[in-house]
Every structure is written in C-alpha cells, then in structure tokens.
Amino acid sequence: MSTKQPFLGEAITKEYKPAHTTFTFSPFRLSPAFNVFFVREMLADPRVTFGLYLIKGPLLANARFFIDCDNAEVKSFLRSTVNRFWRNGALIALKAVEWGYSCSEVIYRLADGLIHYDQLKHLNSIDCRVFTSEGKLAGASVRGIPSRDGGPVLYPPRLLWHVHNRHENRWYGESRLKGAYLPWLEKWDKGGFRDSRRLFLYKFAFGGETGYYPPGTTVDEQGNPISNQSLMLQMLERKRNGAAVALPAEYTETGQLAWRIEPQAPPPISPLYPEWGTRLDDEIWEGMGIPAEVARAEGTGAYAGRRVPLVAFYTILQMIANSLAEDLNTQILRPLVERNFGPGVHFDLIPIPMLQAHEEEGETVANFSLVPAHEVVSEEPPQGYTIRYGKPP
C-alpha cells in the first residue's frame, strides 16, 4: 500500500448530505418550521426586500479581485470576463442569497476566434433541481422544459449553479432569510403586529361609534314601519362609508337626545406597542446579517461605536462574494480557459478583502462606497498574498 493513500485522493465525504436539512418539524417553536416555500411570502415584506438591497448593493459595488496568472493573454481574457460577469450576471446569481441556491443558463458568444461569456439567463430557483455524479455537478432539470429521459436539461458549462451558505447543504444551501423568519412571522402572522395594528386602526377609524335610539318603530316615506334599531344600524353603516346622517331632534325625559351617535374613544396606546414593531423590523434585518446600526447610520458621527457592527457586516458581504467567485471560477472561467487556450494554463481568482481595498484607496469604513467601480479586477494583489503564477507588478 502506498503511504500517500491516507493523504491524497478525492474527499471521502463528497456525497455527504446533512440529515437535518430534510427534518422540518421543530417541537421547540409554536410555529411552522422555515422552508423555501416561505421565501416568496417574505419577499412581499418591504423590510426584507430592502434588506436584500442593503446586502447586494454594497457587495456588487465594492467587491475586488486579483487574477494570478503568468500568461498575459489569458490574464487579459479573464479580466474582461470577470468585469463583464460582475456587471450583468452577478446580481442574477445572487438570487441564491434569498433562495439558498440559484440556477442560471450561461450564454456565450464567439468573438476574435474565442468563446466569451456573454450573459446569464435567470431561472426561478424553485423550478430547478440539481443532478450530481460522484459528488460533482452534472446538470440541472428545469420545470417547464421537457426532458426526454427525466434527466438534466442544462449541462456544464451552460449551467451556473450558485449556492449560498453551502456548509448547510452543498447543493441547495440555506436562505439568508431563515434567521429573519421568526420575527417576520410574528410581524405578519394572524394576531401578529400588522394584524393587530390594522384591526386597531380600523376599529377606531371606522367602527368605533355607539348609536342610541328610542324603542319602537318609525314609519318610512312609503308608510312601512321600520324598527328604530334597524334605522340606527343603517345610519352607522352609512357614516362608516363617509355619508352624512341626519338625526331627529327628539329628547328623552332626562333631556338627552333620543337619537344620537357618540364616537368611542380609543384606549391609551402602550408605549411598548410602536416599539414592538420597530424591534421586529430590526430583528428581521439582524436575522439577515444586517446590524441595525449599519442600516440606520447617518453621517460619520459616533464612528468608533459603529465600527464593530460595520466590520461584522462587511465580513458577511465578503463571505458571499467569495462564494460567488468560487462558483464563477469553477463553472465558467476554468472551462472557458481550457476551451480557448488549452489545458495546463494555471491561474487563480483571488478575492481582495473589501475593507483592505478601501483603506488602500484612502477611504474609511464609514465612507464605504455605494457606487460601482469601473473595474472589478485589480492589478494589485491583496496584502500578504504571495503570487504563485505571475510576477509581482
């Protein structure tokens, strides 16, 4: 037996699938367990959609990469490919942030005798299922496109299968909305914050009046007797719809109007009630990995107090960018380089830490840019990186 066998070879656990990802019942929460079918409902919450913009916007605008390659032609090709992908394809692939995974068809074009990446075609994540072979990506089926043998309809390299939080599930990942699910459910569930707020405002804006009427009946214009109770109910309903009402000036023995409508005064609102909604909104963002201090930051005041949550936020963005770069590298860049330039061309796509990139450009963390850079690929390697294939600039 070779002494190298215990060290080398493919991962023994390459086909491992976490058991807990298929276990959806939780006895510890009085609510249904989170699954991908809640994602579409959560996307109807403006707080959730804006939170996704807060994640993807700075990420797309500030991500930087360095290409380590000793072949000038290949390096130029990779530079233009990465720049183009980050401008027109990265946002499509980042649908994986909310769904856990994204499936896209890669469209290529022929120019100057080389095959180039052109664009991504968006496909709904819930319509796509992955096919693997020996623990590797083999293709994807797409609902709505017939498959003759029940197998994939998209094969690499025409397929980009991007996974978010792949440590939870290698192929289907985990939605970033999972952490926001419980506060979102408390906000939107029956009897939750929005439901109670709507009922409170509706009751005291349209249905809070009390009507008083004398006993007996009243004869209408056609001579038909109508109970006074029915007449009062009709007037209350008309008033609720915005109509004017006229009440007869009849008085009781005590001198009060026999016919009158009195508005019901709303009960005092607990100061905890508006705080309840604000806290739920903050918890939704925090569950998505967005510190409230970052989302609400105005100007540069109290910068030192915000640095820790800011650094934590940028670290999360960096992890997402690194994951997308990994899938871009393995599923698009390497097949393209091998097809255009032949096998044996060595290169690496190296993410540059976002904080480092901006500190080098003289920016502070508080002035983190929201404007997309002209170039995603940098000529300078990240600090501390040892160039493997090319020569230092």
Side-chain angles (χ1 to χ4, degrees):
M1 178 184 297
S2 171
T3 58
K4 295 183 178 180
Q5 285 185 346
F7 298 93
L8 303 180
E10 293 184 327
I12 298 174
T13 59
K14 61 185 179 182
E15 297 187 63
Y16 165 71
K17 297 179 180 179
H20 72 273
T21 57
T22 59
F23 187 69
T24 58
F25 173 73
S26 174
F28 305 106
R29 298 192 297 264
L30 299 178
S31 60
F34 176 81
N35 59 59
V36 72
F37 298 104
F38 282 102
V39 173
R40 192 180 298 277
E41 293 297 321
M42 294 183 71
L43 292 176
D45 187 337
R47 195 72 171 187
V48 172
T49 55
F50 186 59
L52 290 172
Y53 293 143
L54 289 177
I55 292 173
K56 298 179 184 181
L59 187 155
L60 293 173
N62 295 280
R64 302 287 190 277
F65 302 94
F66 172 73
I67 296 174
D68 187 354
C69 182
D70 58 2
N71 187 312
E73 184 181 6
V74 173
K75 188 170 185 177
S76 176
F77 174 82
L78 290 171
R79 181 188 183 95
S80 63
T81 302
V82 173
N83 282 328
R84 182 176 180 85
F85 173 84
W86 214 255
R87 289 195 181 99
N88 73 0
L91 183 60
I92 295 175
L94 284 174
K95 285 284 186 179
V97 172
E98 57 263 37
W99 293 100
Y101 66 98
S102 66
C103 178
S104 310
E105 182 179 0
V106 187
I107 308 298
Y108 297 93
R109 58 189 173 88
L110 184 64
D112 302 325
L114 298 177
I115 297 177
H116 296 261
Y117 160 82
D118 188 31
Q119 59 181 311
L120 288 186
K121 185 178 186 299
H122 165 71
L123 301 169
N124 287 331
S125 297
I126 57 176
D127 290 334
C128 304
R129 290 293 178 266
V130 71
F131 280 77
T132 62
S133 176
E134 298 181 351
K136 298 180 180 179
L137 179 66
S141 64
V142 182
R143 184 167 55 185
I145 301 179
S147 175
R148 295 180 180 179
D149 55 1
V153 296
L154 280 179
Y155 295 88
R158 293 293 297 271
L159 166 68
L160 177 63
W161 187 276
H162 174 49
V163 181
H164 178 73
N165 279 354
R166 68 180 76 240
H167 62 275
E168 291 295 330
N169 186 298
R170 183 178 178 185
W171 299 113
Y172 293 101
E174 182 181 74
S175 170
R176 183 150 291 272
L177 302 187
K178 181 178 180 179
Y181 170 63
L182 288 180
W184 173 86
L185 192 65
E186 185 178 345
K187 178 181 177 182
W188 286 91
D189 200 11
K190 184 176 181 181
F193 173 75
R194 290 184 65 97
D195 188 36
S196 62
R197 184 182 68 178
R198 178 183 61 84
L199 290 175
F200 180 88
L201 295 176
Y202 180 81
K203 177 179 180 180
F204 293 102
F206 300 101
E209 299 91 354
T210 301
Y212 295 89
Y213 58 90
T217 60
T218 299
V219 179
D220 64 10
E221 296 177 354
Q222 287 75 29
N224 300 317
I226 302 177
S227 70
N228 291 342
Q229 181 185 33
S230 297
L231 285 175
M232 176 56 69
L233 290 175
Q234 291 178 17
M235 286 187 285
L236 289 174
E237 188 66 31
R238 291 174 181 174
K239 190 174 185 299
R240 177 182 300 178
N241 294 328
V245 295
L247 303 175
E250 299 179 9
Y251 292 88
T252 64
E253 295 178 354
T254 59
Q256 288 185 321
L257 285 170
W259 294 83
R260 67 184 188 276
I261 296 177
E262 296 181 357
Q264 182 177 354
I269 300 178
S270 168
L272 297 178
Y273 187 79
E275 183 181 343
W276 179 26
T278 302
R279 186 58 196 150
L280 287 178
D281 283 341
D282 287 348
E283 288 179 358
I284 288 174
W285 273 353
E286 290 167 358
M288 296 172 65
I290 308 170
E293 298 89 339
V294 174
R296 291 201 174 95
E298 296 181 3
T300 57
Y303 164 68
R306 296 202 314 269
R307 181 171 179 87
V308 172
L310 277 169
V311 171
F313 178 56
Y314 300 152
T315 302
I316 292 172
L317 298 187
Q318 190 67 57
M319 293 169 59
I320 299 173
N322 293 355
S323 178
L324 180 54
E326 178 183 347
D327 289 334
L328 168 65
N329 184 27
T330 58
Q331 298 180 43
I332 295 180
L333 299 184
R334 294 197 177 276
L336 273 177
V337 169
E338 184 173 355
R339 171 63 177 79
N340 288 325
F341 303 98
V345 179
H346 300 291
F347 70 90
D348 279 332
L349 181 64
I350 309 299
I352 299 176
M354 297 184 194
L355 295 181
Q356 175 186 323
H358 284 273
E359 288 172 357
E360 290 174 352
E361 295 172 8
E363 300 180 18
T364 64
V365 178
N367 293 327
F368 197 61
S369 173
L370 296 179
V371 180
H374 294 291
E375 293 291 338
V376 178
V377 178
S378 173
E379 291 292 345
E380 298 292 334
Q383 293 179 4
Y385 175 74
T386 302
I387 296 178
R388 299 175 58 190
Y389 305 119
K391 296 181 180 180

